[in-house]
Amino acid sequence: MQRFSAFALARNALSGHTAWQRQWRSPEPAKEYDAVIIGGGGHGLATAYHLAHDHGMRSIAVLEKSWIGGGNTGRNTTIIRSNYLFNASSSLYDHAVKLWEGLSQKLNYNVMFSQRGVMMLAHNVHDEQVFKRHVHANRLNGVDNEWLTAAQAKEFCPPLRIDSGMRYPVIGAALQRRAGTARHDAVAWGYARAADSLGVHIVENCAVTGIVRDTTGAVEAVETTRGRIATRKLGVVAAGNTSVLMAMAGVRMPLESFPLQALVSEPVKPVFPCVVMSNTIHAYISQSDKGELVIGAGTDAYISYSQRGALHVSTHTLEAICELFPQFRRMRMLRNWGGIVDVTPDRSPIIAKTPVPGLYVNCGWGTGGFKATPGSGHLFAWTIAKDEPHRINAPFTLERFRDGFLIDEAAAAAVSH
Amino acid sequence: MLLIPCPYCGPRPELEFSYAGEANIARPADPASLTDEAWAAFLYQRTNPRGLHAERWRHTHGCGRFFNARRDTVSDLFQSSWKPGEPPP
């Protein structure tokens, strides 16, 4: 792997930046791998990287039906936080935040992780009580989170409107300072490059059409549009398409797939210093380093694989944004799009073994999976390599729905989807 | 926004409706006799297909009645809708 550094940048400038190597290969799929990961998004690529880096596996393929990072990894609002209520969740998401903190150095790839703070607005007494409960629970778990008055919130985020004339006045906010954003494409590319340098095959334009099981029921191979690939360890990390893939192995999932929308404005100079979310009036907003305001809207009411959302859903969010930040009323929106998110009944993910030997699943991240990318990859790789869950993802099983140990995380969607 | 064919009122905009999930999931007659697996399957497991999906809608801001519909989850186009108790067309 060609390492990136200031020196490499200067040396390549002398040759007009024509001598940079390709960041990952584009190999033909082999006939057999020790492990196959279905899904070349951030979570799948991170899983392959950790399988190779932490567990010494070398014969690994990541199968992606289109191009890497083209699904939800390239469609989310890039928010990273860990202020979840329950012990299991805050431990899971804070594990990821800790990995984010060293990720650029570890991958030798600038993922532009920016701990600019995520502020969640309270608009009524119920919000205030819920957020204070979160603040206290988080602090007991060693996760930073603090309560701000409305004036302190405005000081932290000057564009915020806090006057009492609002339909939903801001009465305070919960602030996690270690939270922030990262560059989503760079996360996929950085993991792909690092995994490739450890020998992982990243196979794009390769859709899985079937999962083959042997006479004992264990996974034997996958059928793909580029031929049959034998493997004994198969990890499904396919977000919205998880139900479809798991059905190929005869496993019914507690999942439903919904379109979730996001949109960006025209780029402007830096005007917005942090991430602001409001559950009650459904809005979340930050500004990318390119200058676009990145705004997240809600899910559509019905299941769909269409990768687009209804206009009335984004209109609803834009009305809330204009109410909170009147200075943005004349901003023009540049693009909007949808991603298909797989939602579990308790809004917590599943990172687990399945009833099928050799089949593992990492899904159910719903509306907030990007933030967990490094932790999800680390824990899923552990689960696949050792055939048992890591201490942190042990509660996030498929069986919790049967046994009644739900992790009913209302904060999973910081806005109510 | 979807244009949804209510079998009572005809095609109406999506804003008048509430989605009510996958159709044809009958509540078990005697929940106490079920295994934990069967109860969890009733509560939580869904087909979630990529393609045609039988689902329930309620015309909340119209006639107020529930009905069944079949929709393609890739194109979001409705193929048909029918009243509860009727066989699907």
Side-chain angles (χ1 to χ4, degrees), chain B residues 1-87:
Chain B
M1 189 181 300
L2 304 181
L3 194 60
I4 300 178
C6 173
Y8 301 97
C9 313
R12 295 295 186 91
E14 179 193 334
L15 281 182
E16 296 183 7
F17 294 84
S18 313
Y19 180 67
E22 186 173 345
N24 307 322
I25 298 176
R27 185 181 170 88
D30 182 15
S33 69
L34 290 187
T35 61
D36 288 352
E37 279 83 5
W39 183 242
F42 161 70
L43 283 180
Y44 301 124
Q45 287 178 7
R46 295 295 178 264
T47 312
N48 196 23
R50 188 184 175 94
L52 284 178
H53 184 231
E55 58 196 17
R56 295 188 311 153
W57 287 86
R58 184 175 177 228
H59 195 180
T60 320
H61 303 292
C63 62
R65 285 185 275 199
F66 279 93
F67 60 92
N68 298 308
R70 194 176 281 123
R71 178 177 56 93
D72 187 319
T73 60
V74 179
S75 66
D76 285 340
L77 287 173
F78 281 85
Q79 193 195 55
S80 55
S81 66
W82 63 97
K83 295 170 184 171
E86 289 182 352

Side-chain angles (χ1 to χ4, degrees), chain A residues 292-337:
Chain A
E292 300 157 330
L293 296 178
V294 183
I295 296 167
T299 54
D300 283 312
Y302 46 86
I303 71 162
S304 175
Y305 289 80
S306 63
Q307 291 193 314
R308 58 180 180 264
L311 192 59
H312 67 267
V313 175
S314 42
T315 305
H316 178 72
T317 288
L318 288 173
E319 284 168 354
I321 295 286
C322 292
E323 170 96 350
L324 286 173
F325 309 102
Q327 72 184 66
F328 295 147
R329 277 183 183 162
R330 295 173 67 188
M331 291 281 284
R332 282 166 295 192
M333 291 297 130
L334 207 58
R335 303 189 305 277
N336 80 326
W337 62 89

Side-chain angles (χ1 to χ4, degrees), chain A residues 203-226:
Chain A
V203 185
E204 293 171 287
N205 299 309
C206 180
V208 170
T209 54
I211 295 174
V212 185
R213 296 163 68 181
D214 66 15
T215 48
T216 65
V219 169
E220 187 174 56
V222 286
E223 299 285 356
T224 76
T225 50
R226 296 178 69 174

Side-chain angles (χ1 to χ4, degrees), chain A residues 22 24-26 38-42 44-45 62-75 184-185 188-189 192 202-207 226 237 241 307 337-338:
Chain A
R22 292 181 71 89
W24 57 87
R25 298 159 295 163
S26 184
I38 304 175
L45 293 163
V62 177
L63 308 182
E64 166 55 46
K65 69 174 175 179
S66 56
W67 64 90
I68 62 164
N72 293 352
T73 301
R75 292 166 184 267
H184 51 1
D185 294 326
W189 299 335
I202 295 162
V203 185
E204 293 171 287
N205 299 309
C206 180
R226 296 178 69 174
V237 201
N241 286 296
Q307 291 193 314
W337 62 89

